[in-house]
Amino acid sequence: MKPLKVLHLCHNHPSLHPGGTEIFALDLHRQLNGGGEVDGLFIGCVDQNHRRQRPGTVFQGIGASSNEMLMWTGHFDNFYLSQIDLHGIVPELTDLLGNLKPDIVHFHHILLMGAEILFLVRRVLPKAKIVMSLHDYYSICAHDGQMVTTGDRRPCHQASPDACHRCFPQLEPEQFVLRERHLKTHFSVVDRFLSPRNFLRRRYISWGIAADRIEVLRNARPESNVVPHRPLKKGGLRGNFAYFGNLSPNKGVLVLLEAARLLNQRHPGAFRVDIHGGAPFQSDAFKADLNAALARVDGYVGWHGAYRAEEMADLMRNTDWMVTPSIWW
């Protein structure tokens, strides 16, 4: 039996932007390819923030693997999640789809590539199955898919033209109606949506995707050695806390730093917090707030910057507790 051909499309590559979706998508591609039953290709989309455009082709190589590549999609409308430069992308992507003829095209996001690419895949490959993973709320929420209000950063319970207009008063409510219709029209060609959890699935059902089109498939990670508990001296406390991941306002690192400051007032010297992760593409205002908050907890909180995925086990050896202070859903 010949291997199943699977094309994975993601909005970046972990080597250039180590976000959770990118890491999961590439891990899935590599795990499926490693079993011998799947012949897969991974394409990570990039823009000028990650790679300079090269004349002659939208495709670029990355690393030594022949089944991982980049596609330059630097003309993208973040509001409508729409690809502006279809003239530059469609011919070459059409040729790739026609030559590869994948049985399954798995979209891990439509950021950078655009919702229109769904229709392109359906037109070129009418018999292929189109799968789309819903890793966040980008399609529902124009605020970077966070479903957090722009002003006081409160969790938003349901998007609507009026509610979205309050977050973005410079945009008319009608624009949010058009955005929703644009996305749902292109989503009509998707054969199956995947959600990593029931909560997110319910959100998309409320938004208007039929319940029988969304299945829950929890995210997985490759097997790895389990890091043992940190050895303690007799009577010692497990007071080493750690945060892992990119730093952003909605991931709650400022909440974590304020909690550490308050806890240190009650129990000085009883704990330590180590923050592992970079702050790519964050605003100057957030970086200023972050530096000010770090200065207030100097001595018992340390920020160690970005790390590579393969370093995580070693970084965890001195950690007792992992903290996830996220303030979004």
Side-chain angles (χ1 to χ4, degrees):
M1 183 181 295
K2 64 179 182 179
L4 191 71
K5 288 189 175 182
V6 180
L7 173 61
H8 293 273
L9 290 163
C10 194
H11 58 311
N12 218 304
H13 191 286
S15 296
L16 303 177
H17 187 269
T21 297
E22 294 92 330
I23 292 171
F24 166 76
L26 186 61
D27 280 344
L28 178 62
H29 158 73
R30 289 176 175 175
Q31 291 288 309
L32 290 174
N33 271 23
E37 298 178 356
V38 171
D39 179 14
L41 175 65
F42 179 94
I43 296 180
C45 297
V46 293
D47 60 12
Q48 61 276 4
N49 292 313
H50 308 97
R51 276 289 180 92
R52 180 171 53 86
Q53 187 177 16
R54 296 174 183 173
T57 179
V58 299
F59 295 111
Q60 302 179 18
I62 182 167
S65 176
S66 62
N67 56 32
E68 296 174 23
M69 58 194 299
L70 304 177
M71 182 168 68
W72 203 89
T73 57
H75 304 287
F76 180 74
D77 185 322
N78 280 286
F79 179 74
Y80 287 106
L81 303 185
S82 178
Q83 180 52 237
I84 299 171
D85 188 19
L86 291 174
H87 176 75
I89 293 175
V90 167
E92 294 194 50
L93 184 55
T94 298
D95 288 344
L96 183 141
L97 292 170
N99 291 326
L100 186 64
K101 293 183 174 61
D103 302 293
I104 298 173
V105 180
H106 189 162
F107 286 84
H108 290 274
H109 224 299
I110 56 172
L111 271 180
L112 295 185
M113 64 193 80
E116 297 83 0
I117 304 302
L118 293 163
F119 265 24
L120 175 64
V121 172
R122 177 54 69 229
R123 177 174 63 81
V124 178
L125 303 169
K127 295 183 180 180
K129 297 297 183 183
I130 299 177
V131 178
M132 183 174 175
S133 289
L134 303 169
H135 291 286
D136 50 39
Y137 308 100
Y138 255 96
S139 302
I140 302 175
C141 174
H143 187 203
D144 295 330
Q146 302 294 300
M147 294 202 75
V148 173
T149 59
T150 57
D152 51 10
R153 294 194 175 277
R154 291 190 302 173
C156 173
H157 290 267
Q158 187 163 3
S160 71
D162 288 337
C164 296
H165 173 63
R166 286 194 293 271
C167 277
F168 298 94
Q170 73 276 22
L171 300 176
E172 296 298 327
E174 291 81 4
Q175 290 177 264
F176 295 98
V177 175
L178 289 174
R179 180 185 188 273
E180 180 178 333
R181 290 183 178 178
H182 165 76
L183 293 172
K184 287 180 176 178
T185 297
H186 288 89
F187 284 0
S188 66
V189 302
V190 175
D191 293 292
R192 184 68 67 205
F193 292 95
L194 300 178
S195 169
R197 54 188 180 140
N198 279 304
F199 182 89
L200 188 145
R201 178 178 181 268
R202 291 195 297 269
R203 279 299 167 93
Y204 272 93
I205 292 172
S206 298
W207 185 63
I209 295 180
D212 60 359
R213 298 182 66 202
I214 311 178
E215 292 187 20
V216 173
L217 183 65
R218 301 195 182 279
N219 290 344
R221 295 284 291 126
E223 290 185 354
S224 60
N225 294 328
V226 177
V227 179
H229 289 297
R230 179 175 65 92
L232 291 178
K233 296 180 180 179
K234 186 175 182 180
L237 294 175
R238 293 208 174 276
N240 288 4
F241 298 82
Y243 169 100
F244 289 88
N246 289 324
L247 277 59
S248 68
N250 291 331
K251 291 193 175 181
V253 65
L254 297 179
V255 175
L256 172 60
L257 294 175
E258 177 62 9
R261 187 187 68 82
L262 294 173
L263 186 60
N264 186 65
Q265 291 178 351
R266 299 181 183 179
H267 305 284
F271 69 96
R272 175 172 178 80
V273 180
D274 290 293
I275 297 175
H276 301 282
F281 313 116
Q282 296 303 314
S283 68
D284 291 338
F286 170 72
K287 291 178 180 177
D289 289 343
L290 176 62
N291 288 328
L294 285 166
R296 289 193 290 269
V297 294
D298 186 38
Y300 51 95
V301 177
W303 180 25
H304 306 282
Y307 59 93
R308 298 191 304 273
E310 56 269 24
E311 297 175 322
M312 195 163 184
D314 285 336
L315 295 174
M316 285 186 175
R317 293 187 187 280
N318 291 319
T319 298
D320 298 316
W321 311 95
M322 286 182 61
V323 185
T324 305
S326 176
I327 61 172
W328 71 300
W329 298 113

